[in-house]
Amino acid sequence: MGRLQVFIISFLTISCVSIFMPNLVAAQLKTNFYAQTCPNVESIVRNVVNQKFKQTFVTIPAVLRLFFHDCFVEGCDASVIIASTSGNTAEKDHPDNLSLAGDGFDTVIKAKAAVDAIPSCKNKVSCADILALATRDVIQLSGGPGYAVELGRLDGLTSKSSNVGGNLPKPTFNLDQLNTMFASHGLNQADMIALSAAHTLGFSHCDQFSNRIFNFSPKNPVDPSLNKTYAAQLQQMCPKNVDPRIAINMDPITPRAFDSVYFQNLQKGMGLFTSDQVLFTDQRSKGTVDLWASNSKVFETAFVNAMTKLGRVGVKTGKNGNIRIDCGAFN
């Protein structure tokens, strides 16, 4: 795992999009948007996702993280997939996005090619919608809930690295900081907690949490909210001056399953980031963590609701977008 690229599913980002009208956006999106133009789009995308998953498990956290990073910067418009040119440094080349796994981009690009290979579908389905569908599919593949995906997004017309900087919250964030960011996207505290459970999948570089295990404070070198046994394991896996390419599982118990074990881990002091563990240590969110730790069905319902709301963030319609021929380049 030493040379494994990091795939932190860190979706806690704030975009530059203005506050939107969720109901208005919801009215523009619909689950059967392609019923007349490309009725088999969902099965086409799902087949590509299944093929990628058979090649590498990394497909799952890579696609999931790509969706979050897309929606939280400029909205769900596939702007994160755009490649940089000599005249423009795109979102994907901002330092905060360099760790986005290539398998996520590859999944969307291959799915777009498969969709466009059908004559009736060619240039009819947006890259943004393909990413939204692929995200639902990887969640299901890892044992998470299935859900109907609202469709009808257009692809964005801009992608600038300058829109990303400073908008990815630190793993040291407290509950107020997390809630403020999510509220800016029309997402409430329950949505934030549900979406945080995406940290049940994927990997993280050691430097993202090293402060918790070596230099948390002058009085407590190790974060007191961290399970002592888990802290010792982290110190062993991520010693000081560790190779920066080293990555570890974010969920130490069921790293390849989308499940509510994430919340059970928090109850045991085994949240990897401060922004994870605070969901349990802060009394305002602890009740939700306790409920979902013991009731996976209630959690899954909340997660599907949060994902649906997330998928409405900054959606482009009309003259504000188009359907890209190549997901990685503007038309």
Side-chain angles (χ1 to χ4, degrees):
M1 197 192 310
R3 298 187 180 276
L4 187 60
Q5 187 183 13
V6 61
F7 309 116
I8 311 171
I9 309 177
S10 55
F11 48 84
L12 308 177
T13 325
I14 183 169
S15 77
C16 301
V17 298
S18 58
I19 296 301
F20 58 92
M21 301 287 289
N23 293 332
L24 178 61
V25 173
Q28 295 169 335
L29 300 177
K30 52 186 179 180
T31 57
N32 64 342
F33 186 84
Y34 296 106
Q36 303 302 318
T37 54
C38 188
N40 296 323
V41 62
E42 297 202 29
S43 61
I44 296 170
V45 172
R46 185 177 295 112
N47 286 338
V48 172
V49 172
N50 287 339
Q51 291 169 10
K52 276 291 298 184
F53 172 66
K54 290 177 182 177
Q55 294 172 5
T56 173
F57 174 82
V58 170
T59 300
I60 288 178
V63 170
L64 186 51
R65 186 176 182 226
L66 189 64
F67 181 65
F68 289 136
H69 276 239
D70 182 42
C71 292
F72 278 54
V73 178
E74 293 298 311
C76 307
D77 65 352
S79 56
V80 73
I81 302 176
I82 289 289
S84 294
T85 63
S86 58
N88 177 58
T89 303
E91 289 177 27
K92 68 180 294 187
D93 286 321
H94 185 277
D96 290 346
N97 279 336
L98 292 178
S99 59
L100 288 171
D103 290 297
F105 296 92
D106 188 52
T107 300
V108 176
I109 290 169
K110 285 183 175 176
K112 172 70 168 173
V115 169
D116 282 353
I118 308 299
S120 63
C121 298
K122 189 173 178 64
N123 299 332
K124 298 285 177 58
V125 182
S126 69
C127 302
D129 277 347
I130 288 174
L131 176 55
L133 287 170
T135 301
R136 184 269 311 275
D137 294 339
V138 298
I139 290 168
Q140 276 193 283
L141 273 176
S142 55
Y147 55 94
V149 178
E150 294 180 340
L151 302 167
R153 303 166 187 81
L154 290 179
D155 296 322
L157 305 178
T158 61
S159 178
K160 297 183 180 299
S161 173
S162 57
N163 290 336
V164 181
N167 290 326
L168 186 63
K170 300 182 183 300
T172 54
F173 268 21
N174 61 35
L175 190 70
D176 289 328
Q177 291 168 310
L178 293 171
N179 279 335
T180 297
M181 282 196 170
F182 276 75
S184 73
H185 299 300
L187 300 166
N188 60 33
Q189 178 172 288
D191 299 325
M192 180 272 292
I193 299 172
L195 293 172
S196 294
H199 285 173
T200 189
L201 297 164
F203 314 87
S204 170
H205 273 143
C206 297
D207 63 1
Q208 295 299 304
F209 56 86
S210 60
N211 68 300
R212 297 190 71 202
I213 58 177
F214 291 119
N215 56 348
F216 185 71
S217 70
K219 183 179 180 181
N220 296 297
V222 177
D223 185 342
S225 70
L226 196 58
N227 179 290
K228 291 183 178 180
T229 301
Y230 184 46
Q233 293 171 344
L234 292 176
Q235 289 173 333
Q236 184 175 12
M237 291 185 288
C238 293
K240 291 182 178 180
N241 302 317
V242 68
D243 185 327
R245 293 167 295 188
I246 291 287
I248 69 163
N249 291 322
M250 298 186 71
D251 179 345
I253 308 301
T254 57
R256 292 191 170 215
F258 184 96
D259 53 29
S260 59
V261 171
Y262 168 80
F263 298 110
Q264 297 170 17
N265 290 340
L266 299 186
Q267 292 177 316
K268 300 172 185 175
M270 295 168 64
L272 187 60
F273 301 146
T274 299
S275 57
D276 291 316
Q277 195 58 49
V278 73
L279 303 180
F280 181 74
T281 58
D282 194 307
Q283 292 300 311
R284 294 171 294 172
S285 49
K286 181 178 182 295
T288 302
V289 171
D290 287 336
L291 173 63
W292 291 349
S294 62
N295 194 324
S296 60
K297 292 301 181 184
V298 174
F299 156 60
E300 288 184 356
T301 298
F303 181 79
V304 168
N305 180 62
M307 285 294 290
T308 300
K309 290 171 66 175
L310 175 64
R312 298 170 182 167
V313 172
V315 166
K316 307 298 187 295
T317 57
K319 296 180 180 180
N320 294 321
N322 59 22
I323 294 176
R324 275 184 225 138
I325 296 172
D326 175 354
C327 291
F330 296 120
N331 293 350

